[in-house]
């Protein structure tokens, strides 16, 4: 009886701890911020976004398919549409990328860079009729601007130009120099745009305090039961490595196959990779992100995150089972291409699976390859690297710049949960990060899950209301970031 009493007492204590910790795991009270009052003519800015979409500034995989005149047309449109920007800022053209410099008054302060790209991905041939409105007409219907680039990333570029124009008209004088760059080849890796800008800034001995590029957006309802707007400002981006898993076997006629056909050996290897994902977990950046967001979760998820000392492996399993959060926790594994024999009755001497890994900042391309080799180890298997790149450095989220971006969002949107985040796709920031103390990736526009489907897909669109709030955010980001 005495033992039972002790156990019951202990259980009570544990439950007590869990409950108390759950209650304490609440959002920080909203900082005292005054909402800004900025007057933006929504018709004018929507019209500008619409016009920008009509330039078919498409980056195809093959450079030969590029229509240079569409890019030149867009550049001329920027000059015609934003005369104050062109009169008062200094423009350097790097290939077809525009780099503006807005001179600050205090040379002792490191400059900042605010950047986006105006090239867009192609529309998949044959999918045009799936669009509710044509992809390159920039139709405005019922308060929504439709077309390729409405999200990625002409709204960013046009939003920054509108914000700059507003501040110039307002007589704003930056203390810190502000660079604005508008890339023309982000969708193919930025070799002639962001890379050239980065080289140019290095040559000018410019080291930026921080840069702000495209990245995540503001979302509501990203997690069940969470009504708050969540802004996760990406402070790092994943790398990408591609490996060929090669199975070899004796060839011959398919009428007399051996037991260990190369295809079968390869299939087993892929199976092993699926069953043994690259290790990951809630650490560093991912831990901070989920710690912050989970404060807005409903019971019982909030209870789990408040008591990681007890529930860590449960949380890990939960997060790993959802593709989105799994990608935040680890290097992901995606077999994408397969090849074997060239003829139906010929046994393959080689069967190859091409597997793409998105490298988490905790790993390196080399460590991923070593892990894969250990998982698929077999005398008939070799692993060949097709190359790739590691993850970016992880920028600090405890800086003045990060706080200024967060404050700007709160001034425009009210109570926003701001967290650092990890970008699972690539951006031009892998270049800009080389000349910036910290590289942030975030578009200050509010999107719905439905909007997100348009990203590189069909029916890309942005509501005029969301666009206007984004412009206000850029205005505040520049005001705070540049000081005066
Ligand atoms: Zn983009």
């Amino acid at each position: 009886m005495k033992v039972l009493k002790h156990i019951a007492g202990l259980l009570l204590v544990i439950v007590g701890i869990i409950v108390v910790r759950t209650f304490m795991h609440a959002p920080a009270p909203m900082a005292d911020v005054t909402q800004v009052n900025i007057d933006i003519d929504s018709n004018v800015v929507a019209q500008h976004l619409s016009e920008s979409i009509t330039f078919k500034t498409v980056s195809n995989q093959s450079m030969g398919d590029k229509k240079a005149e569409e890019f030149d047309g867009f550049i001329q449109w920027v000059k015609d549409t934003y005369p104050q920007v062109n009169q008062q800022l200094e423009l350097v053209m790097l290939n077809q990328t525009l780099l503006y410099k807005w001179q600050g008054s205090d040379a002792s302060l490191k400059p900042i860079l605010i950047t986006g790209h105006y090239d867009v991905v192609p529309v998949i041939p044959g999918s045009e009729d799936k669009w509710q409105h044509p992809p390159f007409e920039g139709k405005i219907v019922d308060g929504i601007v439709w077309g390729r680039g409405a999200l990625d990333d002409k709204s960013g570029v046009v939003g920054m130009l509108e914000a700059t124009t507003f501040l110039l008209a307002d007589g704003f004088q930056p203390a810190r120099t502000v660079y604005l760059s508008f890339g023309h080849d982000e969708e193919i890796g930025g070799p002639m745009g962001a890379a050239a800008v980065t080289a140019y800034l290095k040559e000018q001995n410019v080291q930026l305090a921080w840069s702000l590029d495209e990245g995540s957006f503001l979302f509501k309802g990203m997690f069940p039961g969470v009504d708050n707007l969540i802004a996760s400002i990406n402070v790092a981006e994943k790398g990408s490595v591609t490996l060929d898993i090669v199975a070899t076997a004796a060839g011959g006629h398919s009428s007399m196959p051996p037991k260990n056909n190369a295809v079968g050996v390869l299939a087993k290897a892929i199976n092993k990779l699926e069953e043994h994902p690259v290790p990951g977990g809630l650490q560093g950046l991912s831990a901070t992100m989920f710690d912050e967001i989970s404060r807005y979760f409903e019971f019982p998820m909030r209870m789990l995150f408040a008591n990681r000392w007890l529930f860590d492996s449960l949380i890990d399993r939960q997060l790993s089972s959802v593709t989105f959060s799994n990608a935040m926790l680890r290097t992901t594994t995606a077999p994408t291409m397969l090849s074997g024999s060239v003829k139906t009755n010929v046994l393959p001497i080689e069967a190859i699976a091409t597997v793409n890994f998105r490298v988490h900042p905790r790993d390196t391309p080399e460590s991923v390859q070593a892990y894969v080799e250990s998982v698929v180890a077999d005398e008939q298997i070799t692993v060949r690297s097709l190359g790739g790149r590691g993850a970016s450095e992880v920028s600090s989220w405890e800086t003045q710049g990060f706080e200024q971006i967060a404050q700007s969002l709160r001034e425009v949107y009210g109570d926003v949960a701001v967290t650092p985040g990890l970008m699972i796709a690539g951006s031009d920031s892998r270049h800009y990060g080389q000349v910036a103390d910290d590289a942030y990736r975030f578009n200050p526009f509010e999107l719905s899950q439905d909007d997100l489907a348009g990203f590189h897909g069909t029916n890309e669109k942005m509501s005029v209301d969301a666009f206007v709030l984004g412009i206000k955010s850029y205005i505040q980001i520049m005001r705070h970031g540049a000081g005066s």
Side-chain angles (χ1 to χ4, degrees):
M1 267 319 271
K2 215 172 175 190
V3 176
L4 273 182
K5 259 190 189 163
H6 279 305
I7 292 175
L10 194 66
L11 274 177
L12 220 70
V13 170
I14 291 176
V15 170
I17 292 174
I18 290 173
V19 169
V20 169
R21 288 188 65 98
T22 306
F23 274 106
M24 285 169 64
H25 193 62
M30 184 171 162
D32 210 8
V33 287
T34 318
Q35 303 290 291
V36 284
N37 195 354
I38 300 172
D39 206 11
I40 300 278
D41 187 332
S42 59
N43 288 324
V44 171
V45 298
Q47 183 58 33
H48 288 164
L49 178 59
S50 155
E51 286 167 17
S52 77
I53 290 169
T54 61
F55 296 93
K56 295 187 176 112
T57 50
V58 176
S59 275
N60 289 293
Q61 208 51 257
S62 146
M63 295 283 261
D65 298 337
K66 180 180 158 177
K67 291 203 177 70
E69 67 276 13
E70 296 282 344
F71 289 72
D72 290 336
F74 179 85
I75 293 166
Q76 192 55 49
W77 175 82
V78 169
K79 291 179 182 170
D80 294 342
T81 311
Y82 301 101
Q84 300 92 325
V85 175
N86 280 280
Q87 279 153 21
Q88 299 187 48
L89 276 61
E90 184 190 319
L91 173 64
V92 177
M93 289 301 302
L94 293 149
N95 303 309
Q96 282 168 313
T97 286
L98 302 102
L99 176 66
Y100 284 103
K101 181 182 182 186
W102 192 357
Q103 184 65 50
S105 57
D106 185 346
S108 72
L109 297 172
K110 281 183 181 172
I112 56 174
L113 167 74
I114 302 184
T115 178
H117 65 90
Y118 71 91
D119 65 324
V120 295
V121 292
V123 170
I124 298 170
S127 73
E128 292 87 348
D129 60 349
K130 294 206 175 75
W131 286 69
Q132 283 184 45
H133 300 283
F136 292 105
E137 287 184 14
K139 284 258 159 63
I140 307 174
V141 184
D142 297 335
I144 291 172
V145 185
W146 293 78
R148 180 58 91 224
L151 289 179
D152 184 16
D153 178 29
K154 280 178 171 163
S155 47
V157 170
V158 176
M160 291 166 205
L161 285 162
E162 296 293 344
T164 311
T165 300
F166 178 92
L167 288 170
L168 286 169
D170 204 37
F172 178 75
Q173 171 58 51
R176 219 181 261 281
T177 294
V178 180
Y179 286 95
L180 300 167
S181 98
F182 305 127
H184 73 283
D185 62 351
E186 188 278 339
E187 297 293 359
I188 46 172
M192 308 292 281
V197 170
T198 303
Y200 172 83
L201 292 176
K202 272 186 192 164
E203 205 180 278
Q204 304 279 313
N205 285 318
V206 173
Q207 175 69 18
L208 305 161
W210 50 271
S211 59
L212 177 65
D213 191 3
E214 64 174 337
S216 186
F217 292 79
L218 291 124
F219 290 106
K220 209 173 256 178
M222 185 155 67
F223 296 92
V226 181
D227 295 328
N228 271 72
L229 269 178
I230 293 180
S232 63
I233 299 170
N234 294 333
V235 295
E237 69 186 62
K238 289 179 115 177
S240 174
V241 160
T242 304
L243 300 176
D244 268 354
I245 314 294
V246 186
T248 46
H253 199 281
S254 64
S255 59
M256 214 173 54
K259 209 168 172 208
N260 289 333
N261 184 321
V263 169
V265 174
L266 181 66
K268 279 186 202 128
I270 297 175
N271 223 304
K272 284 184 201 158
L273 282 179
E274 279 187 350
E275 266 157 33
H276 302 277
V278 182
L282 264 190
Q283 288 147 2
L285 171 56
S286 321
T288 306
M289 179 181 164
F290 280 101
D291 180 72
E292 197 55 49
I293 294 174
S294 62
R295 291 168 190 271
Y296 296 86
F297 285 176
E298 283 180 326
F299 191 83
M301 285 305 276
R302 192 168 131 203
M303 178 194 73
L304 297 187
F305 281 91
N307 293 281
R308 287 191 49 204
W309 61 280
L310 190 60
F311 300 121
D312 226 13
S313 61
L314 189 63
I315 291 171
D316 220 87
R317 255 176 287 145
Q318 277 281 342
L319 294 179
S320 300
S321 67
V322 180
T323 48
F324 157 74
S325 49
N326 182 52
M328 297 283 160
L329 297 195
R330 58 169 46 81
T331 295
T332 51
T333 303
T336 52
M337 293 159 81
L338 282 172
S339 68
S341 172
V342 291
K343 199 167 180 310
T344 53
N345 61 355
V346 174
L347 292 171
I349 49 173
E350 258 190 1
I352 304 173
T354 303
V355 188
N356 182 241
F357 297 86
R358 292 305 170 109
V359 184
H360 193 275
R362 58 189 283 142
D363 298 319
T364 63
E366 294 74 27
S367 73
V368 170
Q369 183 166 352
Y371 176 77
V372 169
E373 281 166 349
S374 74
V375 170
V376 298
D378 183 297
E379 54 190 19
Q380 282 178 270
I381 295 270
T382 49
V383 177
R384 288 199 295 242
S385 174
L386 301 185
R389 58 169 199 281
S392 72
E393 280 183 43
V394 179
S395 295
S396 171
W397 53 90
E398 285 165 344
T399 62
Q400 190 192 32
F402 190 94
E403 193 36 56
Q404 285 165 338
I405 297 169
Q407 190 193 339
S408 303
L409 296 176
R410 291 189 193 107
E411 286 167 350
V412 173
Y413 292 97
D415 194 2
V416 183
V418 182
T419 77
L422 172 63
M423 185 142 170
I424 53 178
S427 77
D428 270 344
S429 283
R430 63 175 170 274
H431 301 291
Y432 296 128
Q434 296 168 31
V435 286
D437 293 352
D438 293 290
Y440 302 123
R441 300 153 174 90
F442 185 75
N443 303 53
F445 302 103
E446 180 187 344
L447 299 191
S448 67
Q449 298 293 330
D450 173 53
D451 293 332
L452 207 56
F455 224 89
H456 288 202
T458 47
N459 289 320
E460 189 173 344
K461 61 185 189 296
M462 178 171 287
S463 80
V464 175
D465 288 346
F467 185 51
V468 168
L469 289 175
I471 294 169
K472 292 181 183 181
S473 306
Y474 278 127
I475 290 171
Q476 290 309 95
I477 290 169
M478 288 188 201
R479 269 187 181 146
H480 293 307
S484 60

